[in-house]
Amino acid sequence: MSPPISASISCVLVANRGEIARRVFRTARAMGMRTVAVFVEADRDAPFVEEADVAVRLPDSYLDGEAVIAAAMLAGAHAIHPGYGFLSENAGFARAVVDSGLTWIGPSPDVIESMGDKIAAKRVAVDAGVPTLPSSEDPSDDGKVGYPLLVKASAGGGGKGMRIVQSADELIESVAAAQREALSGFGDDRVFLERYVARSRHVEIQILGDGHGNVVHLGERECSIQRRHQKIIEESPSPIVDPELRAAMGDAALALARAMGYQSAGTVEFLVDDDTREFFFLEVNTRLQVEHPVTEEVTGVDLVREQLRVAAGEPLGYDQSAISWTGHAIEARLYAEDPANDFLPATGTLAAFMPAVEPAVRWDSGVVEGSVIGVDFDPMIAKVVAHGPTRTDAAGRLALALERLHLGGVTTNRDFLAATLRTPEFLAGDTTTDFIERVSPGGDGAAPDSMPCAAVIAAMWVQGANRAADDVWGFAPSNWRNGGLPSERILLGYPGVDEAVTVAYRSRRDGTFMLDSGESVTIHRWSTADIDIEIDRCRCTAAVTRSGDTIHVQSGSTTVSMHIDPRFVIPGTELPPGGLIAPMPGVVLDVRCAPGDTVVAGQVLVVLEAMKMEHHISAPVAGTVTDVPIAIGEQLENGALLLTIDDGSEDV
Amino acid sequence: MNRSLLAPPLTSSLDTHSEQFAQNCADMLEQLHIHDVLLDKAAEGGGEKPMARHRSRGKLPIRERIATVIDPDTPFLEITPLAGYGSQYALGGGMVCGIGIIAGTECVIMGNDPTVAAGALTPYASKKWMRALEIARDNRMPYVSFVESAGGDLRPGGGGAKKSESGDDHGAVGSAVVPAHFAETGRFFYEMTELSKLRIPTVCVVFGSSTAGGAYQPGMSDYNIFIKEQSFAFLAGPPLVKMATGEIADSETIGGAQKHAEVTGLAEYLAEDEMDALRLCREVVSHLNWRKPDAAPTLQSDEPVEDPEELLGLVSRDLRQPVDIRDVISRVVDGSRFEEFKPRYGTTIVCGWAAIHGYPVGVLGNNGVLYPDSSQKAAHFIQLCNKLDIPLVFFQNITGFMVGTDFESDGIIKKGSQMINAVTNSLVPHLTVTIGSSYGAGTYGMSGRAFGNRFTFTWPTAKIAVMGPKQIAGVMSEVRRGQAARKGEEFDEAADAALVAAHEAAHDKGSLALRATGAIADDGILDPRDTRTVLGLCLSVVRNRPIEGAREYGVFRL
């Protein structure tokens, strides 16, 4: 059944948040439509709420379909675009939208329903003659599948409830864990087994269909670079897909699309064996994908525009022969997460967020400087998309854009992404799904090379800020002296570096500065946002942002965030020696020690839950637990003191 | 938007390519180099060993304490850093004094240097301390003292004296600071108490022992900060207590920080350590609710059109070479703009209106000897500025009032006195910079140190004395010649010539800027290029007190 067609859509509601809401608004506005946002309390100050013509508050959750439909009625929207995630693949919601007389922007509820069940979807694929991986719906039937295998949630997606199992003795535990996660993540604990191809690539075909029986494919995207089973770098075309393979995969996808009577945008996912170039059907995503921009960049097709046109009943108006591909596009997903700590989600306030003017790349982002990255939603900060004549151009441009981004306040995977894009392996197209484990790009988490220079820039910028703030003697030269006082000094600490760096300096009569370390510094221009500075004949302009005692300096290859050691410390406010702090905000699930306990290094002491995942905090050293100021169920801020351990080494 | 002075910029005809200019620059830079070396020496305090010993106790040197307490990157205007120059006492007088910004508030900061004779009070320290108190009182600024002093110097011969810091100066004529009789001492306690009465806050951080006289410093302060296990205050320490009463007790028991915080109430704040004490000091100043009347500059502020670097080459080593004072003014004032008052009358004094860093000023500068007409012009101008509440800046380059029959007939005494009367009774702040000579009554007329200036600074080239060394030596020779004639003795020309040369040399040395600054007869020597900055700082400082010109003067002898 095709959805009802309204002759025109003049007002569209996006049942989503963040970057995808803004992305849909952008095209909708370009097509002359008014835009309606829905939002929950946590997103009250988000840019997408402000950008919409009207924003309607939801009582509780983006998953509350009834409230979303009511919002559309209230604001006079004719159509609902679900974005991705949330209600985007919820057939019941799609049906309710249609039943309310609104236009659903997406494939028909029936198609969503049949493709939503991975087991059912696989059956459709087999019927359509599309190759599939050996699998079993019976989680104990490992014989049929073989090892290594993957336990996957039937209702799942996005890596949740997914486990790799290497041998039979891990199976029972892995199935149980996957079921728990599936239940908490999707409210459905069904899981199935599937053959795991270690050196594989994730390649997906973008399809587009209208209500008049026309389907085209827009080529492939490769999404092989993943961490925690979630994509972080996507590209089109894939370095391993030649025109023949593209045609073969495209034909398979179109066969499936025709079998489904697919309309709107969708994605057929395949696993490609890196050694044999065989491809296996995985699933169909009945929505716009996060990574859709790379397809848009190489084909010049605005997928959201096509979705809106198709939803309004228009025919595509072109066939497969009209689709052509130009150059190469790569997308990197910038996440608030810590690559050095198993990519655990990070939170915080985005104190600095300013892309450089060049290189020109596409920034699809739901945040602005000052946005808070919290625990409520996926911690994606932005999608950065570079398009170039060749893959090498695109990768270089994307890496440079990431490197030149002024970004601070939250731990992110930026350096990791940039390092990945610059590895010889990536540039050679050697991008299998095990890429990160295999190549571990830029992995040691050490302070960047540009650190001492960044410290000087930070010190000099702070100096300028101090002078600008002096409303008594602001007219006088910085640090002016007519007698011998010691040099002005500032101590800057880096995360992971024990000793703070001291920058000591004196001003000179000509307005320049002499560092105690010998360098000569000239400040050509100072502003609240940046500094044009020359350090020993080497001149650069660096964006600088200060947020409390943290200062972020864009160094050209990353943003170096430093802690300004306060000159004075209020006694009693220091972190106690032996203190263990929460690595992220979260809820205390379990406390496995009490004051007086003797613990050994590596022993799990506290379990936190954040982002629906369990995180184990273990003892860094052996010793005696002296204080445990937390309780089960308590919500902790990032950096909160969990407990203190006396390792006997320090005389407290 | 601030208003602008409408006067056009001064144009300078200074030849910066002349040999004389180059020579003047070279001479000035040499003098400045000597000055810098002495400043470095002064900053060493008691020298390497005492400094190392001080640090080994976990204590910060006084200059680090000051650099830490002031707001980061703000200037610090040190007052007489070279006190004691030319004496047997340590350069700086065992004390650091200056004006700095603490928590956004201009404060006078005075601190003992415990590496110099354990911070014992030398005559120079006493005089410097009095100057610090005077600055706080005259300008109404919070007074912050960092106390760590053994008290009065009990050693024979006035004490802290050791070998000369600048040995070759003993023969020089100068006003050395001599130890006062005990009966005359202690005025600083009076002054500190009176600051409090005048609603000028006094904050005292005790960094070490504060004994006997020293104990009254916290005693007379509004706010006291003591440091745990480091600060002590008692009228008598363990040795004297044992001598006086036979009681044997340790310092902590007699007058430790904890005791003063918990038992005696002498300490309001008990700091964990030195850094904590400095933090608390800033905290206290931040609550003082210090407000400056009319603080903001009212006039457009822009850099001088003429290059201040060129100030280096204006004054010759030979002070008889004339300097057009407008060449100084145009390199100091905003936009070089100067509205001259009576430019065609009494031309040996230049008077006029200008701005420095946006602060309006009346400027007086010498372009030669003071004549009867120039004296009257100055007296007139000073009265106008008092009507307008405009601070005065004096650029001294003055050999005195004109002498000779004609000028006496014209009433030089009377008219010069009119100028001195106006200067004396003027109530707007006076800032004086001696750039060249400052001799005789000319010094007084041009608001010398003794005339209640808020601040007095000296260029390295300056010479200050009752008259020029040549004149003094010559006058004394004339006296000797007269004596010989009266006694009918033969005058020994050769011996006299040697004596004249010796006198001239001694007086020349004695009149040097360094000697004046050593005797705390000024607030310090200025690099000429810093003149604008220092005057700006001072003009800000004086605004801690309302600027109100004089309503009345002494009788003008007409």
Side-chain angles (χ1 to χ4, degrees):
Chain A
M1 285 296 293
S2 45
I5 292 164
S6 83
S8 73
I9 301 168
S10 63
C11 180
V12 62
L13 178 146
V14 179
N16 216 302
R17 60 180 299 281
E19 72 88 13
I20 193 61
R22 294 177 95 186
R23 161 72 191 92
V24 176
F25 290 161
R26 195 163 66 229
T27 291
R29 217 174 278 126
M31 293 171 73
M33 301 175 190
R34 285 187 296 118
T35 55
V36 179
V38 287
F39 67 101
V40 297
E41 178 58 21
D43 274 332
R44 191 183 52 197
D45 301 320
F48 78 90
V49 176
E50 199 178 321
E51 274 179 24
D53 292 310
V54 180
V56 181
R57 187 189 289 267
L58 294 176
D60 185 31
S61 162
Y62 291 106
L63 293 168
D64 185 346
E66 223 171 283
V68 170
I69 291 168
M73 299 299 186
L74 182 68
H78 309 131
I80 292 180
H81 191 297
Y84 52 71
F86 296 125
L87 298 167
S88 62
E89 292 176 287
N90 184 320
F93 174 66
R95 211 163 270 134
V97 169
V98 174
D99 291 347
S100 308
L102 298 169
T103 301
W104 168 250
I105 300 163
S108 72
D110 293 344
V111 167
I112 296 173
E113 190 156 54
S114 68
M115 291 298 116
D117 183 334
K118 295 190 178 181
I119 299 161
K122 200 163 176 181
R123 218 171 285 130
V124 176
V126 171
D127 293 347
V130 178
T132 59
L133 276 174
S135 65
S136 167
E137 293 166 42
D138 174 0
S140 63
D141 188 9
D142 53 344
K144 180 177 160 198
V145 180
Y147 288 93
L149 60 77
L150 212 51
V151 186
K152 290 169 93 172
S154 299
K160 278 171 199 141
M162 201 182 276
R163 287 282 191 287
I164 299 169
V165 185
Q166 298 292 349
S167 61
D169 52 337
E170 297 170 22
L171 184 67
I172 292 170
E173 198 185 325
S174 299
V175 167
Q179 281 171 334
R180 273 202 305 278
E181 272 183 34
L183 187 64
S184 78
F186 317 108
D188 178 349
D189 71 351
R190 285 179 305 142
V191 297
F192 65 99
L193 308 182
E194 191 175 73
R195 176 69 163 282
Y196 179 63
V197 181
R199 283 182 53 80
S200 63
R201 291 169 189 257
H202 180 109
V203 179
E204 61 191 26
I205 302 287
Q206 176 69 51
I207 56 171
L208 206 49
D210 64 14
H212 307 276
N214 304 306
V215 285
V216 295
H217 76 84
L218 300 180
E220 79 285 1
R221 292 186 288 262
E222 179 171 332
C223 316
S224 304
I225 303 212
Q226 307 187 351
R227 50 100 188 94
R228 297 166 75 97
H229 301 292
Q230 285 184 312
K231 304 160 187 174
I232 48 170
I233 292 178
E234 295 113 337
E235 58 184 309
S236 182
S238 159
I240 57 147
V241 175
D242 54 23
E244 288 74 39
L245 185 56
R246 181 171 303 122
M249 292 176 77
D251 287 347
L254 290 180
L256 202 56
R258 284 193 194 94
M260 291 184 284
Y262 202 92
Q263 54 176 308
S264 195
T267 298
V268 184
E269 292 193 0
F270 296 98
L271 197 67
V272 179
D273 188 313
D274 200 49
D275 300 321
T276 64
R277 296 288 192 267
E278 287 173 284
F279 60 91
F280 305 101
F281 168 80
L282 289 178
E283 59 181 321
V284 176
N285 295 313
T286 54
R287 55 171 157 86
L288 195 64
Q289 296 276 95
V290 177
E291 60 272 22
H292 74 274
V294 291
T295 300
E296 297 186 322
E297 293 298 310
V298 291
T299 60
V301 174
D302 180 337
L303 287 169
V304 173
R305 181 170 184 273
E306 298 308 294
Q307 281 188 306
L308 291 166
R309 284 179 56 231
V310 167
E314 289 183 37
L316 284 179
Y318 48 82
D319 61 14
Q320 190 65 44
S321 67
I323 307 298
S324 65
W325 294 271
T326 308
H328 202 101
I330 306 177
E331 172 182 283
R333 296 196 201 178
L334 185 62
Y335 272 100
E337 64 182 21
D338 186 1
N341 191 10
D342 200 22
F343 299 95
L344 286 188
T347 59
T349 300
L350 212 48
F353 184 70
M354 192 174 59
V357 176
E358 282 185 310
V361 294
R362 174 171 166 181
W363 293 86
D364 280 15
S365 163
V367 297
V368 290
E369 201 157 275
S371 291
V372 175
I373 312 292
V375 292
D376 299 299
F377 305 108
D378 181 73
M380 190 169 76
I381 294 171
K383 302 184 315 201
V384 194
V385 189
H387 186 208
T390 66
R391 187 169 183 275
T392 307
D393 286 345
R397 182 179 287 190
L398 183 54
L400 186 63
L402 287 164
E403 287 160 356
R404 296 189 69 182
L405 167 67
H406 182 43
L407 170 69
V410 184
T411 305
T412 72
N413 62 346
R414 178 256 297 271
D415 292 346
F416 179 83
L417 291 172
T420 300
L421 291 162
R422 293 212 187 270
T423 55
E425 290 87 350
F426 182 87
L427 294 173
D430 179 13
T431 54
T432 50
T433 45
D434 60 348
F435 181 88
I436 287 168
E437 296 79 41
R438 196 158 47 83
V439 179
S440 77
D444 62 358
D449 303 340
S450 48
M451 196 176 87
C453 182
V456 172
I457 294 172
M460 288 294 117
W461 186 88
V462 169
Q463 173 278 138
N466 284 339
R467 292 314 294 145
D470 181 358
D471 59 358
V472 184
W473 288 353
F475 57 83
S478 184
N479 185 244
W480 182 88
R481 303 283 182 255
N482 64 333
L485 284 199
S487 300
E488 198 72 53
R489 59 185 56 235
I490 180 168
L491 268 71
L492 297 157
Y494 298 87
V497 179
D498 282 344
E499 204 143 319
V501 174
T502 300
V503 181
Y505 56 93
R506 288 164 186 274
S507 63
R508 286 190 288 211
R509 175 169 303 284
D510 61 3
T512 66
F513 293 86
M514 184 73 190
L515 303 187
D516 285 11
S517 50
E519 295 94 333
S520 180
V521 176
T522 306
I523 299 173
H524 294 285
R525 186 179 53 78
W526 178 94
S527 82
T528 53
D530 63 2
I531 188 169
D532 177 354
I533 188 171
E534 186 175 328
I535 304 169
D536 265 0
R537 306 193 339 270
C538 185
R539 182 171 172 179
C540 70
T541 295
V544 183
T545 304
R546 179 172 181 171
S547 164
D549 278 337
T550 306
I551 187 160
H552 311 284
V553 175
Q554 166 50 241
S555 72
S557 61
T558 187
T559 305
V560 183
S561 296
M562 288 158 277
H563 177 258
I564 303 172
D565 257 26
R567 192 177 277 196
F568 303 102
V569 179
I570 297 168
T573 57
E574 310 94 330
L575 181 71
L580 215 57
I581 56 170
M584 72 192 74
V587 176
V588 181
L589 275 191
D590 198 7
V591 180
R592 299 182 184 171
C593 63
D597 287 1
T598 304
V599 295
V600 298
Q603 183 178 337
V604 174
L605 303 180
V606 177
V607 181
L608 290 182
E609 191 202 68
M611 301 301 298
K612 299 192 183 92
M613 313 258 276
E614 289 182 9
H615 304 288
H616 291 184
I617 315 295
S618 34
V621 290
T624 309
V625 175
T626 51
D627 187 23
V628 186
I630 52 165
I632 291 173
E634 195 177 333
Q635 169 75 47
L636 298 178
E637 289 299 311
N638 189 13
L641 181 68
L642 298 174
L643 50 89
T644 51
I645 300 173
D646 179 8
D647 65 355
S649 69
E650 213 169 321
D651 183 19
V652 181
Chain B
M1 190 62 194
N2 283 335
R3 281 167 290 168
S4 181
L5 287 179
L6 298 181
L10 284 169
T11 50
S12 174
S13 55
L14 180 70
D15 180 4
T16 55
H17 298 289
S18 70
E19 256 176 58
Q20 185 64 53
F21 182 85
Q23 185 59 50
N24 292 350
C25 283
D27 289 348
M28 181 67 90
L29 286 171
E30 189 192 325
Q31 299 262 27
L32 287 171
H33 177 69
I34 293 169
H35 186 236
D36 284 347
V37 169
L38 290 169
L39 285 179
D40 287 347
K41 174 90 187 139
E44 289 168 12
E48 214 169 300
K49 265 189 200 159
M51 200 62 94
R53 202 175 331 122
H54 183 74
R55 277 192 191 280
S56 73
R57 295 174 183 149
K59 292 182 165 192
L60 296 173
I62 180 60
R63 287 174 182 276
E64 277 184 38
R65 289 174 180 162
I66 292 173
T68 306
V69 83
I70 62 175
D71 293 355
D73 300 299
T74 55
F76 183 69
L77 179 62
E78 193 168 339
I79 301 295
T80 50
L82 298 184
Y85 172 86
S87 77
Q88 318 102 300
Y89 294 96
L91 263 184
M95 186 179 275
V96 180
C97 166
I99 301 168
I101 297 177
I102 301 174
T105 303
E106 288 157 313
C107 296
V108 175
I109 305 170
M110 185 290 275
N112 301 114
D113 185 344
T115 68
V116 178
L121 279 185
T122 65
Y124 289 90
S126 299
K127 191 172 180 189
K128 197 161 166 176
W129 186 1
M130 284 300 290
R131 175 61 187 141
L133 289 159
E134 183 178 64
I135 292 172
R137 168 199 279 262
D138 289 354
N139 300 289
R140 292 196 62 83
M141 254 191 297
Y143 173 81
V144 174
S145 51
F146 290 172
V147 179
E148 185 167 15
S149 166
D153 201 330
L154 300 180
R155 288 171 295 179
K162 36 180 207 173
K163 68 176 171 30
S164 170
E165 295 287 351
S166 37
D168 61 343
D169 254 19
H170 281 289
V173 178
S175 46
V177 177
V178 295
H181 188 279
F182 175 74
E184 293 180 276
T185 61
R187 176 76 187 187
F188 14 77
F189 300 123
Y190 175 97
E191 292 284 338
M192 284 179 73
T193 313
E194 203 166 52
L195 287 184
S196 183
K197 182 191 82 178
L198 294 169
R199 297 155 53 94
I200 297 170
T202 50
V203 183
C204 176
V205 186
V206 180
F207 280 96
S209 268
S210 181
T211 315
Y216 287 106
Q217 290 199 58
M220 302 298 169
S221 295
D222 290 350
Y223 301 92
N224 292 326
I225 299 161
F226 277 61
I227 303 166
K228 232 181 230 174
E229 290 158 21
Q230 181 174 328
S231 313
F232 304 97
F234 25 59
L235 292 190
L240 184 52
V241 166
K242 192 181 168 196
M243 286 300 299
T245 68
E247 183 191 349
I248 294 174
D250 65 8
S251 301
E252 193 69 44
T253 313
I254 305 176
Q258 201 138 355
K259 177 173 180 178
H260 285 307
E262 293 168 4
V263 180
T264 70
L266 182 62
E268 278 73 45
Y269 303 86
L270 183 63
E272 289 293 322
D273 52 27
E274 289 212 8
M275 287 304 282
D276 197 34
L278 294 166
R279 180 187 68 81
L280 285 167
C281 178
R282 291 174 55 78
E283 201 176 289
V284 169
V285 173
S286 76
H287 88 230
L288 295 178
N289 192 25
W290 203 248
R291 293 144 298 171
K292 292 168 69 177
D294 311 322
T298 50
L299 294 169
Q300 183 198 342
S301 164
D302 46 0
E303 293 296 307
V305 176
E306 301 292 339
D307 186 358
E309 278 288 310
E310 291 164 1
L311 290 171
L312 290 176
L314 294 184
V315 184
S316 165
R317 196 181 276 271
D318 174 7
L319 292 183
R320 288 172 306 179
Q321 299 298 323
V323 176
D324 184 350
I325 202 70
R326 292 182 195 84
D327 282 337
V328 175
I329 296 169
S330 65
R331 285 165 180 81
V332 171
V333 303
D334 293 350
S336 303
R337 286 182 297 275
F338 185 63
E339 182 193 344
E340 196 168 339
F341 173 70
K342 287 188 195 242
R344 292 160 179 268
Y345 181 85
T347 54
T348 58
I349 190 155
V350 173
C351 303
W353 288 277
I356 297 175
H357 287 297
Y359 297 114
V361 286
V363 181
L364 294 95
N366 305 111
N367 254 6
V369 179
L370 284 165
Y371 289 90
D373 57 352
S374 36
S375 304
Q376 286 191 313
K377 171 176 155 184
H380 183 178
F381 181 71
I382 291 165
Q383 291 179 68
L384 288 176
C385 288
N386 273 272
K387 295 286 183 204
L388 303 172
D389 300 333
I390 293 176
L392 291 169
V393 173
F394 293 85
F395 289 117
Q396 290 189 340
N397 185 20
I398 179 69
T399 52
F401 287 96
M402 192 62 200
V403 297
T405 312
D406 288 351
F407 300 101
E408 297 286 5
S409 305
D410 194 13
I412 183 69
I413 296 177
K414 196 173 87 176
K415 292 174 181 172
S417 297
Q418 288 170 359
M419 180 175 178
I420 296 175
N421 184 350
V423 164
T424 302
N425 293 300
S426 161
L427 289 179
V428 295
H430 290 188
L431 308 176
T432 297
V433 182
T434 308
I435 65 156
S437 46
S438 178
Y439 293 146
T443 304
Y444 309 156
M446 288 299 288
S447 201
R449 172 71 153 182
F451 282 71
N453 292 340
R454 296 294 182 86
F455 292 98
T456 308
F457 290 97
T458 313
W459 282 12
T461 37
K463 287 182 182 169
I464 305 138
V466 62
M467 61 182 86
K470 213 178 224 40
Q471 286 74 23
I472 296 177
V475 166
M476 289 174 74
S477 168
E478 284 307 314
V479 170
R480 281 192 301 276
R481 195 181 294 275
Q483 282 172 340
R486 275 198 303 280
K487 293 178 185 168
E489 290 168 1
E490 196 188 326
F491 190 65
D492 185 343
E493 291 289 349
D496 185 68
L499 220 49
V500 165
H503 278 157
E504 194 180 326
H507 281 281
D508 192 49
K509 219 159 221 179
S511 66
L512 288 176
L514 273 171
R515 294 295 301 212
T517 213
I520 320 178
D522 66 8
D523 290 316
I525 290 177
L526 269 192
D527 185 319
R529 296 166 291 182
D530 283 337
T531 306
R532 176 176 159 78
T533 296
V534 169
L535 290 175
L537 296 176
C538 292
L539 286 164
S540 170
V541 164
V542 301
R543 276 175 164 66
N544 280 280
R545 172 177 163 182
I547 294 171
E548 286 166 5
R551 300 284 192 271
E552 51 189 347
Y553 296 83
V555 172
F556 283 104
R557 182 174 290 281
L558 299 172

